[in-house]
Amino acid sequence: MGATRMTSHLKRWLTAIIAVPLLLAIIFYGSDAVFSATIIIVILAGVGEYHQIVFGPGHLWEKAETLFIGF
């Protein structure tokens, strides 16, 4: 159990180490279009995670509907 927890913790740290500088670069040096595209991608990724948690396999209409609304 400890190894699994450590792996998950390590993945979160590695994601943060990579994502934070990338996000700061987009905020300070990117154009408005790049920033907006980044926000849209993050929102759609969050909706995808929501689909996996709530709906599971199937439910294509509900997934399409929430993706459309999220966009």
Side-chain angles (χ1 to χ4, degrees):
M1 182 159 175
T4 303
R5 186 174 189 195
M6 185 60 115
T7 302
S8 176
H9 191 68
L10 182 62
K11 287 180 185 178
R12 288 188 180 120
W13 270 102
L14 290 174
T15 301
I17 289 170
I18 294 168
V20 169
L22 183 63
L23 182 61
L24 290 174
I26 289 171
I27 290 171
F28 291 116
Y29 301 112
S31 66
D32 290 342
V34 172
F35 180 72
S36 297
T38 303
I39 296 299
I40 289 171
I41 290 168
V42 169
I43 288 171
L44 293 178
V47 171
E49 288 289 324
Y50 172 77
H51 288 160
Q52 288 180 340
I53 294 168
V54 174
F55 296 123
H59 303 282
L60 294 177
W61 176 253
E62 289 84 357
K63 290 178 181 180
E65 185 178 24
T66 55
L67 278 174
F68 178 74
I69 292 170
F71 186 71

